[in-house]
Amino acid sequence: MGAGLRLIKRMLGGLVLMVVLYLAAAGLGAGLATNSGREPPTEGVRIYVADNGVHTDLILPVDAFRDFARPEHLADPRYGAEPYLAFGWGNRDFYLHTAKWTDVNAWRVGKALVGAGSTVLHVAHVPEPRAGGSVRTLLLRPEEYRRLVDHVRGTVAAGPVVRGYGARDAFYSAKGGYSALTTCNEWTGRGLRKAGVPMGIWTPMTWGVMLWL
């Protein structure tokens, strides 16, 4: 066996080991919950969390965000009348250039995972979702919801607004750096932890977030 082939095998073996260790850590982080003693309220602010298989969105009532998520930012301002906003945070370059699954490429994925580039907050104006399957719902007490709103609003940074994939969404400059450690799903999980919702201590994967909802 040539030296080059041995090197390739070692590199592939190291990569597989890294993936296995990462998934194991993600499982451990998801399984160790914070706020596990919380008693759900019987009334409060209804929110939703949606999972598309690789990414989670927080779906919150629009009222607390009207000052920055404005109808004029949309390709069709009429969608600004929708009662909910779907929030997702992530790597700017990846988010802006992957409107469809067919747009995904290894180069952009790799850059995002190693923390290259800035971030954006994707905001879509949507009707109230119907809970079930990949969409979960929960009630938050007013003070819990305020902490979640503060998490989302604290993510927004100064910068130009970019039109989204369609008529109802837009991108806003965001704070923080995306990486394999601080993923879009960890952003969702962190917000729910701050709100006081039972949630794993580290949730880089979608299933880590949805496990507790």
Side-chain angles (χ1 to χ4, degrees), residues 21-64:
L21 291 175
Y22 180 82
L23 292 175
L28 181 62
L32 297 174
T34 59
N35 308 315
S36 56
R38 176 183 183 263
E39 290 292 330
T42 56
E43 58 183 30
V45 181
R46 183 166 297 281
I47 73 161
Y48 299 84
V49 181
D51 166 19
N52 72 1
V54 296
H55 171 86
T56 50
D57 278 334
L58 291 169
I59 305 178
L60 312 179
V62 69
D63 291 345

Short mmCIF file of all heavy atoms in Angstrom, two decimals, residues 21-64:
data_model
loop_
_atom_site.label_atom_id
_atom_site.label_comp_id
_atom_site.label_asym_id
_atom_site.label_seq_id
_atom_site.Cartn_x
_atom_site.Cartn_y
_atom_site.Cartn_z
N LEU A 21 -17.86 10.99 17.46
CA LEU A 21 -17.73 11.70 18.74
C LEU A 21 -18.67 12.89 18.82
O LEU A 21 -19.26 13.17 19.86
CB LEU A 21 -16.28 12.15 18.94
CG LEU A 21 -15.25 11.04 19.16
CD1 LEU A 21 -13.84 11.63 19.22
CD2 LEU A 21 -15.56 10.28 20.45
N TYR A 22 -18.84 13.58 17.70
CA TYR A 22 -19.74 14.73 17.66
C TYR A 22 -21.17 14.29 17.93
O TYR A 22 -21.89 14.91 18.74
CB TYR A 22 -19.63 15.41 16.30
CG TYR A 22 -20.51 16.63 16.13
CD1 TYR A 22 -20.11 17.87 16.61
CD2 TYR A 22 -21.73 16.54 15.48
CE1 TYR A 22 -20.90 18.99 16.45
CE2 TYR A 22 -22.54 17.65 15.31
CZ TYR A 22 -22.12 18.87 15.79
OH TYR A 22 -22.91 19.98 15.63
N LEU A 23 -21.61 13.23 17.25
CA LEU A 23 -22.98 12.75 17.44
C LEU A 23 -23.19 12.23 18.86
O LEU A 23 -24.26 12.42 19.45
CB LEU A 23 -23.29 11.67 16.41
CG LEU A 23 -23.38 12.14 14.96
CD1 LEU A 23 -23.59 10.95 14.03
CD2 LEU A 23 -24.50 13.17 14.78
N ALA A 24 -22.17 11.60 19.41
CA ALA A 24 -22.28 11.11 20.78
C ALA A 24 -22.41 12.28 21.76
O ALA A 24 -23.23 12.24 22.69
CB ALA A 24 -21.06 10.26 21.13
N ALA A 25 -21.61 13.32 21.54
CA ALA A 25 -21.70 14.51 22.41
C ALA A 25 -23.05 15.19 22.25
O ALA A 25 -23.64 15.67 23.23
CB ALA A 25 -20.57 15.47 22.07
N ALA A 26 -23.56 15.23 21.00
CA ALA A 26 -24.87 15.84 20.77
C ALA A 26 -25.97 15.06 21.49
O ALA A 26 -26.90 15.64 22.06
CB ALA A 26 -25.17 15.90 19.27
N GLY A 27 -25.86 13.73 21.47
CA GLY A 27 -26.84 12.92 22.18
C GLY A 27 -26.77 13.13 23.68
O GLY A 27 -27.81 13.23 24.36
N LEU A 28 -25.56 13.23 24.22
CA LEU A 28 -25.40 13.48 25.65
C LEU A 28 -25.94 14.85 26.01
O LEU A 28 -26.66 15.01 27.00
CB LEU A 28 -23.92 13.37 26.02
CG LEU A 28 -23.58 13.58 27.50
CD1 LEU A 28 -24.24 12.52 28.37
CD2 LEU A 28 -22.07 13.56 27.70
N GLY A 29 -25.59 15.86 25.22
CA GLY A 29 -26.07 17.21 25.50
C GLY A 29 -27.57 17.32 25.44
O GLY A 29 -28.19 18.01 26.26
N ALA A 30 -28.19 16.61 24.48
CA ALA A 30 -29.64 16.65 24.36
C ALA A 30 -30.32 15.93 25.51
O ALA A 30 -31.41 16.31 25.96
CB ALA A 30 -30.07 16.03 23.03
N GLY A 31 -29.68 14.87 26.00
CA GLY A 31 -30.30 14.07 27.05
C GLY A 31 -30.20 14.66 28.43
O GLY A 31 -30.96 14.27 29.33
N LEU A 32 -29.27 15.59 28.66
CA LEU A 32 -29.11 16.23 29.96
C LEU A 32 -29.88 17.54 29.94
O LEU A 32 -29.45 18.52 29.35
CB LEU A 32 -27.63 16.50 30.25
CG LEU A 32 -26.75 15.25 30.36
CD1 LEU A 32 -25.28 15.65 30.50
CD2 LEU A 32 -27.19 14.40 31.56
N ALA A 33 -31.03 17.55 30.58
CA ALA A 33 -31.94 18.70 30.45
C ALA A 33 -31.75 19.73 31.55
O ALA A 33 -31.45 19.40 32.70
CB ALA A 33 -33.39 18.23 30.46
N THR A 34 -31.92 20.99 31.17
CA THR A 34 -32.07 22.07 32.13
C THR A 34 -33.57 22.33 32.31
O THR A 34 -34.39 21.93 31.49
CB THR A 34 -31.39 23.35 31.63
OG1 THR A 34 -32.00 23.73 30.37
CG2 THR A 34 -29.92 23.14 31.41
N ASN A 35 -33.92 23.00 33.38
CA ASN A 35 -35.32 23.41 33.65
C ASN A 35 -36.26 22.21 33.72
O ASN A 35 -37.46 22.35 33.43
CB ASN A 35 -35.82 24.39 32.59
CG ASN A 35 -34.90 25.56 32.37
OD1 ASN A 35 -34.41 26.16 33.31
ND2 ASN A 35 -34.61 25.87 31.11
N SER A 36 -35.75 21.05 34.11
CA SER A 36 -36.57 19.85 34.08
C SER A 36 -37.71 19.87 35.10
O SER A 36 -38.67 19.10 34.97
CB SER A 36 -35.69 18.61 34.31
OG SER A 36 -34.98 18.72 35.53
N GLY A 37 -37.63 20.73 36.10
CA GLY A 37 -38.69 20.79 37.10
C GLY A 37 -39.81 21.75 36.77
O GLY A 37 -40.73 21.94 37.57
N ARG A 38 -39.80 22.33 35.58
CA ARG A 38 -40.83 23.31 35.21
C ARG A 38 -42.21 22.67 35.13
O ARG A 38 -42.38 21.61 34.53
CB ARG A 38 -40.49 23.94 33.87
CG ARG A 38 -41.54 24.90 33.33
CD ARG A 38 -41.13 25.42 31.96
NE ARG A 38 -42.05 26.40 31.42
CZ ARG A 38 -43.04 26.13 30.57
NH1 ARG A 38 -43.21 24.86 30.15
NH2 ARG A 38 -43.84 27.07 30.11
N GLU A 39 -43.19 23.37 35.70
CA GLU A 39 -44.59 22.97 35.57
C GLU A 39 -45.22 23.80 34.46
O GLU A 39 -45.24 25.03 34.54
CB GLU A 39 -45.34 23.19 36.89
CG GLU A 39 -44.95 22.23 38.00
CD GLU A 39 -45.39 20.80 37.70
OE1 GLU A 39 -46.42 20.63 37.00
OE2 GLU A 39 -44.71 19.87 38.15
N PRO A 40 -45.75 23.17 33.43
CA PRO A 40 -46.36 23.95 32.33
C PRO A 40 -47.57 24.74 32.82
O PRO A 40 -48.36 24.23 33.62
CB PRO A 40 -46.78 22.87 31.32
CG PRO A 40 -46.00 21.65 31.70
CD PRO A 40 -45.78 21.73 33.16
N PRO A 41 -47.72 25.97 32.34
CA PRO A 41 -48.89 26.76 32.74
C PRO A 41 -50.13 26.28 31.98
O PRO A 41 -50.04 25.62 30.95
CB PRO A 41 -48.51 28.18 32.32
CG PRO A 41 -47.60 27.98 31.15
CD PRO A 41 -46.82 26.73 31.45
N THR A 42 -51.28 26.63 32.51
CA THR A 42 -52.54 26.29 31.83
C THR A 42 -52.96 27.37 30.84
O THR A 42 -53.82 27.13 30.00
CB THR A 42 -53.66 26.08 32.85
OG1 THR A 42 -53.78 27.27 33.66
CG2 THR A 42 -53.35 24.89 33.75
N GLU A 43 -52.36 28.53 30.95
CA GLU A 43 -52.60 29.60 29.98
C GLU A 43 -51.35 30.45 29.86
O GLU A 43 -50.47 30.42 30.72
CB GLU A 43 -53.80 30.46 30.38
CG GLU A 43 -53.68 31.11 31.74
CD GLU A 43 -54.92 31.89 32.12
OE1 GLU A 43 -56.02 31.52 31.68
OE2 GLU A 43 -54.77 32.89 32.87
N GLY A 44 -51.27 31.18 28.77
CA GLY A 44 -50.09 32.00 28.53
C GLY A 44 -49.96 32.33 27.05
O GLY A 44 -50.94 32.34 26.31
N VAL A 45 -48.73 32.60 26.61
CA VAL A 45 -48.46 32.93 25.21
C VAL A 45 -48.13 31.64 24.47
O VAL A 45 -47.23 30.90 24.86
CB VAL A 45 -47.28 33.92 25.10
CG1 VAL A 45 -47.04 34.28 23.64
CG2 VAL A 45 -47.55 35.17 25.92
N ARG A 46 -48.86 31.38 23.40
CA ARG A 46 -48.64 30.15 22.64
C ARG A 46 -47.55 30.38 21.58
O ARG A 46 -47.65 31.29 20.77
CB ARG A 46 -49.92 29.67 21.96
CG ARG A 46 -49.74 28.35 21.21
CD ARG A 46 -51.06 27.73 20.85
NE ARG A 46 -51.85 27.38 22.01
CZ ARG A 46 -51.68 26.30 22.76
NH1 ARG A 46 -50.69 25.45 22.45
NH2 ARG A 46 -52.44 26.07 23.80
N ILE A 47 -46.54 29.52 21.61
CA ILE A 47 -45.48 29.56 20.61
C ILE A 47 -45.36 28.19 19.94
O ILE A 47 -45.94 27.20 20.42
CB ILE A 47 -44.12 29.97 21.21
CG1 ILE A 47 -43.55 28.83 22.05
CG2 ILE A 47 -44.24 31.25 22.02
CD1 ILE A 47 -42.07 28.94 22.31
N TYR A 48 -44.59 28.14 18.87
CA TYR A 48 -44.40 26.90 18.13
C TYR A 48 -42.91 26.74 17.80
O TYR A 48 -42.18 27.72 17.69
CB TYR A 48 -45.20 26.90 16.83
CG TYR A 48 -46.70 27.02 17.04
CD1 TYR A 48 -47.29 28.27 17.21
CD2 TYR A 48 -47.51 25.89 17.07
CE1 TYR A 48 -48.65 28.40 17.41
CE2 TYR A 48 -48.88 26.01 17.27
CZ TYR A 48 -49.45 27.26 17.44
OH TYR A 48 -50.80 27.38 17.64
N VAL A 49 -42.50 25.49 17.64
CA VAL A 49 -41.15 25.17 17.17
C VAL A 49 -41.32 24.20 16.01
O VAL A 49 -41.99 23.17 16.14
CB VAL A 49 -40.29 24.55 18.28
CG1 VAL A 49 -38.89 24.26 17.74
CG2 VAL A 49 -40.22 25.46 19.50
N ALA A 50 -40.72 24.54 14.86
CA ALA A 50 -40.84 23.71 13.66
C ALA A 50 -39.49 23.11 13.30
O ALA A 50 -38.45 23.75 13.45
CB ALA A 50 -41.37 24.55 12.50
N ASP A 51 -39.53 21.89 12.79
CA ASP A 51 -38.33 21.12 12.44
C ASP A 51 -38.46 20.65 10.99
O ASP A 51 -39.42 19.95 10.65
CB ASP A 51 -38.23 19.93 13.40
CG ASP A 51 -37.25 18.87 12.96
OD1 ASP A 51 -36.38 19.15 12.13
OD2 ASP A 51 -37.37 17.73 13.47
N ASN A 52 -37.50 21.04 10.14
CA ASN A 52 -37.56 20.58 8.74
C ASN A 52 -36.61 19.41 8.48
O ASN A 52 -36.37 19.04 7.33
CB ASN A 52 -37.29 21.71 7.76
CG ASN A 52 -35.83 22.15 7.75
OD1 ASN A 52 -34.98 21.61 8.46
ND2 ASN A 52 -35.51 23.15 6.93
N GLY A 53 -36.06 18.85 9.54
CA GLY A 53 -35.14 17.73 9.41
C GLY A 53 -33.70 18.07 9.70
O GLY A 53 -32.95 17.24 10.20
N VAL A 54 -33.29 19.30 9.38
CA VAL A 54 -31.92 19.73 9.67
C VAL A 54 -31.89 21.07 10.41
O VAL A 54 -30.84 21.48 10.91
CB VAL A 54 -31.08 19.86 8.38
CG1 VAL A 54 -30.92 18.51 7.71
CG2 VAL A 54 -31.69 20.86 7.42
N HIS A 55 -33.02 21.75 10.49
CA HIS A 55 -33.06 23.12 11.01
C HIS A 55 -34.36 23.31 11.78
O HIS A 55 -35.41 22.79 11.40
CB HIS A 55 -32.99 24.09 9.83
CG HIS A 55 -33.23 25.52 10.20
ND1 HIS A 55 -32.23 26.34 10.65
CD2 HIS A 55 -34.36 26.28 10.18
CE1 HIS A 55 -32.73 27.55 10.89
NE2 HIS A 55 -34.02 27.52 10.61
N THR A 56 -34.28 24.07 12.89
CA THR A 56 -35.47 24.40 13.66
C THR A 56 -35.72 25.90 13.63
O THR A 56 -34.79 26.71 13.60
CB THR A 56 -35.33 23.95 15.12
OG1 THR A 56 -34.08 24.42 15.65
CG2 THR A 56 -35.42 22.45 15.25
N ASP A 57 -37.01 26.26 13.64
CA ASP A 57 -37.45 27.65 13.71
C ASP A 57 -38.26 27.87 14.98
O ASP A 57 -39.06 27.00 15.37
CB ASP A 57 -38.34 28.01 12.52
CG ASP A 57 -37.57 28.36 11.26
OD1 ASP A 57 -36.41 28.79 11.38
OD2 ASP A 57 -38.12 28.19 10.17
N LEU A 58 -38.10 29.03 15.59
CA LEU A 58 -39.02 29.51 16.62
C LEU A 58 -40.12 30.28 15.92
O LEU A 58 -39.84 31.19 15.13
CB LEU A 58 -38.29 30.42 17.61
CG LEU A 58 -37.26 29.78 18.53
CD1 LEU A 58 -36.44 30.86 19.24
CD2 LEU A 58 -37.94 28.87 19.55
N ILE A 59 -41.37 29.96 16.21
CA ILE A 59 -42.50 30.64 15.59
C ILE A 59 -43.28 31.35 16.69
O ILE A 59 -43.91 30.71 17.54
CB ILE A 59 -43.39 29.65 14.82
CG1 ILE A 59 -42.53 28.87 13.81
CG2 ILE A 59 -44.53 30.38 14.10
CD1 ILE A 59 -43.29 27.83 13.03
N LEU A 60 -43.21 32.68 16.66
CA LEU A 60 -43.69 33.51 17.77
C LEU A 60 -44.69 34.54 17.26
O LEU A 60 -44.64 34.97 16.11
CB LEU A 60 -42.51 34.23 18.43
CG LEU A 60 -41.29 33.38 18.78
CD1 LEU A 60 -40.21 34.25 19.42
CD2 LEU A 60 -41.67 32.23 19.71
N PRO A 61 -45.61 35.00 18.15
CA PRO A 61 -46.55 36.05 17.76
C PRO A 61 -45.81 37.31 17.30
O PRO A 61 -44.76 37.67 17.84
CB PRO A 61 -47.34 36.31 19.04
CG PRO A 61 -47.24 35.03 19.81
CD PRO A 61 -45.88 34.50 19.51
N VAL A 62 -46.37 37.97 16.32
CA VAL A 62 -45.69 39.08 15.65
C VAL A 62 -45.57 40.33 16.52
O VAL A 62 -44.68 41.16 16.31
CB VAL A 62 -46.40 39.41 14.32
CG1 VAL A 62 -47.78 40.01 14.60
CG2 VAL A 62 -45.57 40.34 13.46
N ASP A 63 -46.45 40.49 17.51
CA ASP A 63 -46.60 41.78 18.18
C ASP A 63 -45.31 42.33 18.78
O ASP A 63 -45.07 43.54 18.75
CB ASP A 63 -47.67 41.69 19.28
CG ASP A 63 -49.07 41.51 18.71
OD1 ASP A 63 -49.24 41.74 17.50
OD2 ASP A 63 -49.97 41.12 19.47
N ALA A 64 -44.45 41.46 19.32
CA ALA A 64 -43.24 41.93 19.99
C ALA A 64 -42.12 42.32 19.02
O ALA A 64 -41.06 42.78 19.45
CB ALA A 64 -42.72 40.85 20.95
#
